[in-house]
Amino acid sequence: VVGSLRSPMLCPCCGIPPVVGTLGATVCALVLAARALRVRWARVILGLVASIVSLLAVSLLILHNHEGLRSRIYASVFIAPLLKDTTLDGVRCDRLGLAGLAGDVVEFGPGPGTNFRCYRELRRWLGVEPNPHFDQIRRAAGENLTFP
């Protein structure tokens, strides 16, 4: 962030992500609609939906403001399961030009180490990763590597 510029993904007045504000407005509309209905089961269903949307909004707000938690969830929930699927490794390695690399490699943002499966003739590898929650996953992925 340079000077007073703010992210376009945030409300300029309060810094809350617009999706959280939208979800809050949706909850208000659901609650008002539930109060206007005369059928009890419809009020209960709208109340449950409003509760779920409220939990989603609070969760997104917490994730937005807590970098460590967001990084941990991203690494363990979204990325780690992808390591088990190796069906596209050949295509990915060829498209990115990683299959023929040799010598010394410096990789910026190696994440969980998915590119390790592409490397065959490296002498040394150095990775710079800003998300510390990938470290354990990357170490496990690199256990059987033949390069230092």
Side-chain angles (χ1 to χ4, degrees):
V1 178
V2 178
S4 63
L5 294 177
R6 297 189 67 158
S7 169
M9 298 302 293
L10 303 176
C11 174
C13 63
C14 61
I16 294 177
V19 68
V20 174
T22 302
L23 290 172
T26 303
V27 168
C28 291
L30 287 169
V31 168
L32 290 173
R35 287 184 181 177
L37 292 174
R38 294 176 192 245
V39 181
R40 181 169 165 44
W41 63 267
R43 286 196 314 253
V44 170
I45 289 174
L46 283 179
L48 288 172
V49 171
S51 298
I52 292 169
V53 173
S54 295
L55 287 173
L56 178 62
V58 169
S59 300
L60 288 174
L61 190 59
I62 290 170
L63 287 176
H64 172 74
N65 290 314
H66 197 288
E67 175 68 31
L69 182 62
R70 184 173 59 243
S71 297
R72 181 177 294 130
I73 289 174
Y74 177 71
S76 61
V77 174
F78 295 112
I79 300 301
L82 296 177
L83 292 175
K84 296 174 184 166
D85 186 12
T86 60
T87 54
L88 294 177
D89 277 354
V91 174
R92 184 175 51 78
C93 295
D94 290 339
R95 292 259 177 165
L96 295 176
L98 301 174
L101 288 180
D104 300 337
V105 170
V106 176
E107 188 172 356
F108 294 95
T114 52
N115 292 340
F116 289 165
R117 295 185 288 234
C118 300
Y119 303 144
R120 298 286 180 251
E121 300 177 21
L122 294 187
R123 186 175 50 214
R124 285 186 299 183
W125 177 89
L126 172 67
V128 180
E129 174 60 54
N131 186 344
H133 303 289
F134 279 130
D135 289 345
Q136 184 179 5
I137 300 168
R138 189 174 44 256
R139 282 190 190 106
E143 285 179 352
N144 299 321
L145 296 177
T146 57
F147 59 88

